[in-house]
Amino acid sequence: MILAPDLLIALSTLVLVFAIASALSVWSDGSGFPTVALAAIAAGVGVFLYAYWQIEPAPGWRVIPDSFISVFARILH
């Protein structure tokens, strides 16, 4: 069973935000190469693009806030 595209977009956006923060943290500390963070960024981008292409018709970048609103509405309902 594949999750709904709005859930995948919301989750992948959160993964991307935290992975970018992690990559910047490792890079600024100079403690090595951020391999895990870059892998998480690649996975987040892949899941985001997969979910974005599943939405018909393509609504543009407005889909990101709409996805978060939809997920929040599902939680409240």
Side-chain angles (χ1 to χ4, degrees):
M1 181 176 134
I2 297 176
L3 294 175
D6 57 345
L7 291 172
L8 290 175
I9 287 175
L11 289 174
S12 65
T13 303
L14 290 175
V15 166
L16 282 170
V17 167
F18 289 122
I20 290 170
S22 174
L24 288 175
S25 173
V26 170
W27 177 70
S28 67
D29 287 343
S31 60
F33 191 73
T35 308
V36 175
L38 291 179
I41 291 172
V45 167
V47 170
F48 181 87
L49 290 176
Y50 171 76
Y52 184 76
W53 288 330
Q54 296 302 314
I55 298 174
E56 291 292 332
W61 290 105
R62 172 106 175 114
V63 72
I64 297 171
D66 288 345
S67 296
F68 278 95
I69 292 169
S70 174
V71 170
F72 187 65
R74 286 182 188 201
I75 292 170
L76 288 180
H77 189 268

PDB file of all heavy atoms in Angstrom, residues 2 9 11 13-14 16 18 20 31 33-34 37 42 44 53 55-56 59 61 66-67 69-70 72 74:
ATOM      1  N   ILE A   2       0.625   2.129  -0.943  1.00  0.00           N
ATOM      2  CA  ILE A   2       1.385   3.363  -1.074  1.00  0.00           C
ATOM      3  C   ILE A   2       0.598   4.489  -0.407  1.00  0.00           C
ATOM      4  O   ILE A   2      -0.619   4.590  -0.556  1.00  0.00           O
ATOM      5  CB  ILE A   2       1.660   3.681  -2.548  1.00  0.00           C
ATOM      6  CG1 ILE A   2       2.521   2.571  -3.154  1.00  0.00           C
ATOM      7  CG2 ILE A   2       2.341   5.018  -2.697  1.00  0.00           C
ATOM      8  CD1 ILE A   2       2.761   2.734  -4.623  1.00  0.00           C
ATOM      9  N   ILE A   9       4.458  14.070   0.357  1.00  0.00           N
ATOM     10  CA  ILE A   9       5.057  15.393   0.155  1.00  0.00           C
ATOM     11  C   ILE A   9       5.358  16.051   1.502  1.00  0.00           C
ATOM     12  O   ILE A   9       6.437  16.620   1.696  1.00  0.00           O
ATOM     13  CB  ILE A   9       4.146  16.270  -0.723  1.00  0.00           C
ATOM     14  CG1 ILE A   9       4.204  15.780  -2.160  1.00  0.00           C
ATOM     15  CG2 ILE A   9       4.536  17.742  -0.635  1.00  0.00           C
ATOM     16  CD1 ILE A   9       3.268  16.472  -3.110  1.00  0.00           C
ATOM     17  N   LEU A  11       5.858  14.557   4.464  1.00  0.00           N
ATOM     18  CA  LEU A  11       6.947  13.838   5.144  1.00  0.00           C
ATOM     19  C   LEU A  11       8.296  14.084   4.481  1.00  0.00           C
ATOM     20  O   LEU A  11       9.305  14.294   5.168  1.00  0.00           O
ATOM     21  CB  LEU A  11       6.639  12.340   5.176  1.00  0.00           C
ATOM     22  CG  LEU A  11       5.508  11.908   6.098  1.00  0.00           C
ATOM     23  CD1 LEU A  11       5.210  10.423   5.911  1.00  0.00           C
ATOM     24  CD2 LEU A  11       5.861  12.205   7.531  1.00  0.00           C
ATOM     25  N   THR A  13       9.207  16.670   2.754  1.00  0.00           N
ATOM     26  CA  THR A  13       9.624  18.048   3.013  1.00  0.00           C
ATOM     27  C   THR A  13      10.252  18.175   4.400  1.00  0.00           C
ATOM     28  O   THR A  13      11.289  18.828   4.564  1.00  0.00           O
ATOM     29  CB  THR A  13       8.432  19.005   2.878  1.00  0.00           C
ATOM     30  OG1 THR A  13       7.859  18.857   1.573  1.00  0.00           O
ATOM     31  CG2 THR A  13       8.852  20.439   3.070  1.00  0.00           C
ATOM     32  N   LEU A  14       9.651  17.526   5.380  1.00  0.00           N
ATOM     33  CA  LEU A  14      10.237  17.552   6.734  1.00  0.00           C
ATOM     34  C   LEU A  14      11.589  16.840   6.770  1.00  0.00           C
ATOM     35  O   LEU A  14      12.524  17.320   7.418  1.00  0.00           O
ATOM     36  CB  LEU A  14       9.268  16.917   7.726  1.00  0.00           C
ATOM     37  CG  LEU A  14       8.007  17.716   8.013  1.00  0.00           C
ATOM     38  CD1 LEU A  14       7.072  16.920   8.916  1.00  0.00           C
ATOM     39  CD2 LEU A  14       8.356  19.048   8.635  1.00  0.00           C
ATOM     40  N   LEU A  16      13.671  16.581   4.295  1.00  0.00           N
ATOM     41  CA  LEU A  16      14.617  17.469   3.627  1.00  0.00           C
ATOM     42  C   LEU A  16      15.080  18.611   4.534  1.00  0.00           C
ATOM     43  O   LEU A  16      16.275  18.936   4.561  1.00  0.00           O
ATOM     44  CB  LEU A  16      13.995  18.046   2.355  1.00  0.00           C
ATOM     45  CG  LEU A  16      13.965  17.117   1.164  1.00  0.00           C
ATOM     46  CD1 LEU A  16      13.114  17.694   0.048  1.00  0.00           C
ATOM     47  CD2 LEU A  16      15.370  16.863   0.683  1.00  0.00           C
ATOM     48  N   PHE A  18      15.238  18.707   7.864  1.00  0.00           N
ATOM     49  CA  PHE A  18      16.138  18.215   8.905  1.00  0.00           C
ATOM     50  C   PHE A  18      17.453  17.686   8.330  1.00  0.00           C
ATOM     51  O   PHE A  18      18.512  17.826   8.960  1.00  0.00           O
ATOM     52  CB  PHE A  18      15.454  17.138   9.742  1.00  0.00           C
ATOM     53  CG  PHE A  18      14.375  17.683  10.634  1.00  0.00           C
ATOM     54  CD1 PHE A  18      13.069  17.220  10.545  1.00  0.00           C
ATOM     55  CD2 PHE A  18      14.654  18.668  11.554  1.00  0.00           C
ATOM     56  CE1 PHE A  18      12.075  17.722  11.356  1.00  0.00           C
ATOM     57  CE2 PHE A  18      13.670  19.182  12.380  1.00  0.00           C
ATOM     58  CZ  PHE A  18      12.370  18.707  12.276  1.00  0.00           C
ATOM     59  N   ILE A  20      18.983  18.813   5.579  1.00  0.00           N
ATOM     60  CA  ILE A  20      19.797  19.972   5.203  1.00  0.00           C
ATOM     61  C   ILE A  20      20.414  20.603   6.443  1.00  0.00           C
ATOM     62  O   ILE A  20      21.597  20.979   6.443  1.00  0.00           O
ATOM     63  CB  ILE A  20      18.955  20.979   4.399  1.00  0.00           C
ATOM     64  CG1 ILE A  20      18.643  20.407   3.018  1.00  0.00           C
ATOM     65  CG2 ILE A  20      19.671  22.319   4.273  1.00  0.00           C
ATOM     66  CD1 ILE A  20      17.635  21.204   2.223  1.00  0.00           C
ATOM     67  N   SER A  31      33.737  18.081  10.986  1.00  0.00           N
ATOM     68  CA  SER A  31      33.991  16.758  11.566  1.00  0.00           C
ATOM     69  C   SER A  31      33.911  15.637  10.543  1.00  0.00           C
ATOM     70  O   SER A  31      33.845  14.478  10.906  1.00  0.00           O
ATOM     71  CB  SER A  31      32.985  16.496  12.695  1.00  0.00           C
ATOM     72  OG  SER A  31      31.665  16.528  12.194  1.00  0.00           O
ATOM     73  N   PHE A  33      32.674  14.277   6.304  1.00  0.00           N
ATOM     74  CA  PHE A  33      31.759  14.454   5.187  1.00  0.00           C
ATOM     75  C   PHE A  33      30.358  14.015   5.605  1.00  0.00           C
ATOM     76  O   PHE A  33      30.192  12.932   6.173  1.00  0.00           O
ATOM     77  CB  PHE A  33      32.252  13.622   3.987  1.00  0.00           C
ATOM     78  CG  PHE A  33      31.540  13.939   2.714  1.00  0.00           C
ATOM     79  CD1 PHE A  33      31.787  15.127   2.054  1.00  0.00           C
ATOM     80  CD2 PHE A  33      30.629  13.054   2.183  1.00  0.00           C
ATOM     81  CE1 PHE A  33      31.126  15.424   0.876  1.00  0.00           C
ATOM     82  CE2 PHE A  33      29.975  13.335   1.009  1.00  0.00           C
ATOM     83  CZ  PHE A  33      30.229  14.518   0.352  1.00  0.00           C
ATOM     84  N   PRO A  34      29.325  14.800   5.328  1.00  0.00           N
ATOM     85  CA  PRO A  34      27.961  14.474   5.772  1.00  0.00           C
ATOM     86  C   PRO A  34      27.291  13.406   4.898  1.00  0.00           C
ATOM     87  O   PRO A  34      26.308  13.661   4.211  1.00  0.00           O
ATOM     88  CB  PRO A  34      27.236  15.808   5.682  1.00  0.00           C
ATOM     89  CG  PRO A  34      27.937  16.544   4.599  1.00  0.00           C
ATOM     90  CD  PRO A  34      29.376  16.123   4.703  1.00  0.00           C
ATOM     91  N   ALA A  37      23.567  12.509   5.924  1.00  0.00           N
ATOM     92  CA  ALA A  37      22.686  13.634   5.640  1.00  0.00           C
ATOM     93  C   ALA A  37      22.463  13.788   4.138  1.00  0.00           C
ATOM     94  O   ALA A  37      21.344  14.063   3.700  1.00  0.00           O
ATOM     95  CB  ALA A  37      23.269  14.918   6.217  1.00  0.00           C
ATOM     96  N   ALA A  42      18.984  13.000  -0.660  1.00  0.00           N
ATOM     97  CA  ALA A  42      18.686  12.313  -1.921  1.00  0.00           C
ATOM     98  C   ALA A  42      17.385  11.518  -1.819  1.00  0.00           C
ATOM     99  O   ALA A  42      16.552  11.547  -2.735  1.00  0.00           O
ATOM    100  CB  ALA A  42      19.840  11.397  -2.306  1.00  0.00           C
ATOM    101  N   GLY A  44      14.886  12.104   0.287  1.00  0.00           N
ATOM    102  CA  GLY A  44      13.792  13.067   0.410  1.00  0.00           C
ATOM    103  C   GLY A  44      13.408  13.679  -0.923  1.00  0.00           C
ATOM    104  O   GLY A  44      12.220  13.823  -1.235  1.00  0.00           O
ATOM    105  N   TRP A  53       4.760  13.894  -8.916  1.00  0.00           N
ATOM    106  CA  TRP A  53       4.340  13.411 -10.231  1.00  0.00           C
ATOM    107  C   TRP A  53       3.085  12.552 -10.164  1.00  0.00           C
ATOM    108  O   TRP A  53       2.469  12.286 -11.198  1.00  0.00           O
ATOM    109  CB  TRP A  53       5.453  12.647 -10.911  1.00  0.00           C
ATOM    110  CG  TRP A  53       6.556  13.532 -11.386  1.00  0.00           C
ATOM    111  CD1 TRP A  53       6.458  14.830 -11.792  1.00  0.00           C
ATOM    112  CD2 TRP A  53       7.936  13.193 -11.485  1.00  0.00           C
ATOM    113  NE1 TRP A  53       7.694  15.306 -12.131  1.00  0.00           N
ATOM    114  CE2 TRP A  53       8.616  14.334 -11.965  1.00  0.00           C
ATOM    115  CE3 TRP A  53       8.662  12.047 -11.220  1.00  0.00           C
ATOM    116  CZ2 TRP A  53       9.968  14.345 -12.191  1.00  0.00           C
ATOM    117  CZ3 TRP A  53      10.017  12.057 -11.454  1.00  0.00           C
ATOM    118  CH2 TRP A  53      10.667  13.201 -11.923  1.00  0.00           C
ATOM    119  N   ILE A  55       0.333  13.463  -8.582  1.00  0.00           N
ATOM    120  CA  ILE A  55      -0.827  14.351  -8.482  1.00  0.00           C
ATOM    121  C   ILE A  55      -1.232  14.783  -9.890  1.00  0.00           C
ATOM    122  O   ILE A  55      -0.411  15.265 -10.664  1.00  0.00           O
ATOM    123  CB  ILE A  55      -0.506  15.577  -7.614  1.00  0.00           C
ATOM    124  CG1 ILE A  55      -0.153  15.135  -6.203  1.00  0.00           C
ATOM    125  CG2 ILE A  55      -1.673  16.543  -7.598  1.00  0.00           C
ATOM    126  CD1 ILE A  55       0.318  16.254  -5.318  1.00  0.00           C
ATOM    127  N   GLU A  56      -2.491  14.588 -10.211  1.00  0.00           N
ATOM    128  CA  GLU A  56      -3.032  15.000 -11.509  1.00  0.00           C
ATOM    129  C   GLU A  56      -4.150  15.989 -11.299  1.00  0.00           C
ATOM    130  O   GLU A  56      -5.025  15.740 -10.468  1.00  0.00           O
ATOM    131  CB  GLU A  56      -3.564  13.789 -12.274  1.00  0.00           C
ATOM    132  CG  GLU A  56      -2.491  12.842 -12.729  1.00  0.00           C
ATOM    133  CD  GLU A  56      -1.586  13.422 -13.799  1.00  0.00           C
ATOM    134  OE1 GLU A  56      -2.054  14.306 -14.554  1.00  0.00           O
ATOM    135  OE2 GLU A  56      -0.431  13.020 -13.866  1.00  0.00           O
ATOM    136  N   PRO A  59      -0.436  20.771  -9.935  1.00  0.00           N
ATOM    137  CA  PRO A  59      -0.887  22.059  -9.421  1.00  0.00           C
ATOM    138  C   PRO A  59       0.216  23.098  -9.235  1.00  0.00           C
ATOM    139  O   PRO A  59      -0.052  24.191  -8.792  1.00  0.00           O
ATOM    140  CB  PRO A  59      -1.502  21.690  -8.079  1.00  0.00           C
ATOM    141  CG  PRO A  59      -0.724  20.512  -7.644  1.00  0.00           C
ATOM    142  CD  PRO A  59      -0.363  19.763  -8.896  1.00  0.00           C
ATOM    143  N   TRP A  61       3.793  24.623  -7.419  1.00  0.00           N
ATOM    144  CA  TRP A  61       4.408  24.571  -6.087  1.00  0.00           C
ATOM    145  C   TRP A  61       3.428  24.873  -4.970  1.00  0.00           C
ATOM    146  O   TRP A  61       3.770  24.785  -3.805  1.00  0.00           O
ATOM    147  CB  TRP A  61       5.604  25.512  -6.027  1.00  0.00           C
ATOM    148  CG  TRP A  61       6.710  24.992  -6.864  1.00  0.00           C
ATOM    149  CD1 TRP A  61       7.104  25.457  -8.077  1.00  0.00           C
ATOM    150  CD2 TRP A  61       7.528  23.852  -6.599  1.00  0.00           C
ATOM    151  NE1 TRP A  61       8.119  24.691  -8.569  1.00  0.00           N
ATOM    152  CE2 TRP A  61       8.402  23.697  -7.679  1.00  0.00           C
ATOM    153  CE3 TRP A  61       7.599  22.946  -5.547  1.00  0.00           C
ATOM    154  CZ2 TRP A  61       9.342  22.673  -7.739  1.00  0.00           C
ATOM    155  CZ3 TRP A  61       8.530  21.927  -5.610  1.00  0.00           C
ATOM    156  CH2 TRP A  61       9.388  21.807  -6.692  1.00  0.00           C
ATOM    157  N   ASP A  66      -0.576  23.096   0.576  1.00  0.00           N
ATOM    158  CA  ASP A  66      -1.832  22.338   0.562  1.00  0.00           C
ATOM    159  C   ASP A  66      -1.654  20.964   1.186  1.00  0.00           C
ATOM    160  O   ASP A  66      -2.560  20.453   1.855  1.00  0.00           O
ATOM    161  CB  ASP A  66      -2.355  22.196  -0.865  1.00  0.00           C
ATOM    162  CG  ASP A  66      -2.908  23.490  -1.416  1.00  0.00           C
ATOM    163  OD1 ASP A  66      -3.148  24.418  -0.615  1.00  0.00           O
ATOM    164  OD2 ASP A  66      -3.101  23.569  -2.647  1.00  0.00           O
ATOM    165  N   SER A  67      -0.497  20.352   0.979  1.00  0.00           N
ATOM    166  CA  SER A  67      -0.230  19.036   1.566  1.00  0.00           C
ATOM    167  C   SER A  67      -0.165  19.120   3.083  1.00  0.00           C
ATOM    168  O   SER A  67      -0.712  18.261   3.781  1.00  0.00           O
ATOM    169  CB  SER A  67       1.081  18.471   1.026  1.00  0.00           C
ATOM    170  OG  SER A  67       0.989  18.253  -0.348  1.00  0.00           O
ATOM    171  N   ILE A  69      -1.594  21.372   4.964  1.00  0.00           N
ATOM    172  CA  ILE A  69      -2.952  21.646   5.446  1.00  0.00           C
ATOM    173  C   ILE A  69      -3.774  20.367   5.448  1.00  0.00           C
ATOM    174  O   ILE A  69      -4.516  20.094   6.395  1.00  0.00           O
ATOM    175  CB  ILE A  69      -3.605  22.746   4.594  1.00  0.00           C
ATOM    176  CG1 ILE A  69      -2.900  24.079   4.840  1.00  0.00           C
ATOM    177  CG2 ILE A  69      -5.095  22.861   4.888  1.00  0.00           C
ATOM    178  CD1 ILE A  69      -3.289  25.173   3.869  1.00  0.00           C
ATOM    179  N   SER A  70      -3.642  19.573   4.407  1.00  0.00           N
ATOM    180  CA  SER A  70      -4.382  18.309   4.316  1.00  0.00           C
ATOM    181  C   SER A  70      -3.976  17.335   5.416  1.00  0.00           C
ATOM    182  O   SER A  70      -4.827  16.687   6.031  1.00  0.00           O
ATOM    183  CB  SER A  70      -4.158  17.676   2.950  1.00  0.00           C
ATOM    184  OG  SER A  70      -4.732  16.412   2.874  1.00  0.00           O
ATOM    185  N   PHE A  72      -2.612  18.138   8.324  1.00  0.00           N
ATOM    186  CA  PHE A  72      -3.080  18.691   9.593  1.00  0.00           C
ATOM    187  C   PHE A  72      -4.578  18.447   9.773  1.00  0.00           C
ATOM    188  O   PHE A  72      -5.047  18.135  10.872  1.00  0.00           O
ATOM    189  CB  PHE A  72      -2.749  20.179   9.654  1.00  0.00           C
ATOM    190  CG  PHE A  72      -3.030  20.803  10.980  1.00  0.00           C
ATOM    191  CD1 PHE A  72      -2.321  20.435  12.107  1.00  0.00           C
ATOM    192  CD2 PHE A  72      -4.023  21.763  11.126  1.00  0.00           C
ATOM    193  CE1 PHE A  72      -2.578  20.995  13.339  1.00  0.00           C
ATOM    194  CE2 PHE A  72      -4.297  22.345  12.332  1.00  0.00           C
ATOM    195  CZ  PHE A  72      -3.571  21.963  13.451  1.00  0.00           C
ATOM    196  N   ARG A  74      -6.265  15.946   8.497  1.00  0.00           N
ATOM    197  CA  ARG A  74      -6.435  14.527   8.801  1.00  0.00           C
ATOM    198  C   ARG A  74      -6.155  14.223  10.273  1.00  0.00           C
ATOM    199  O   ARG A  74      -6.810  13.388  10.880  1.00  0.00           O
ATOM    200  CB  ARG A  74      -5.502  13.679   7.947  1.00  0.00           C
ATOM    201  CG  ARG A  74      -5.920  13.578   6.524  1.00  0.00           C
ATOM    202  CD  ARG A  74      -4.968  12.695   5.763  1.00  0.00           C
ATOM    203  NE  ARG A  74      -5.259  12.748   4.338  1.00  0.00           N
ATOM    204  CZ  ARG A  74      -4.886  11.830   3.499  1.00  0.00           C
ATOM    205  NH1 ARG A  74      -4.193  10.805   3.904  1.00  0.00           N
ATOM    206  NH2 ARG A  74      -5.189  11.959   2.229  1.00  0.00           N
TER     207      ARG A  74
END
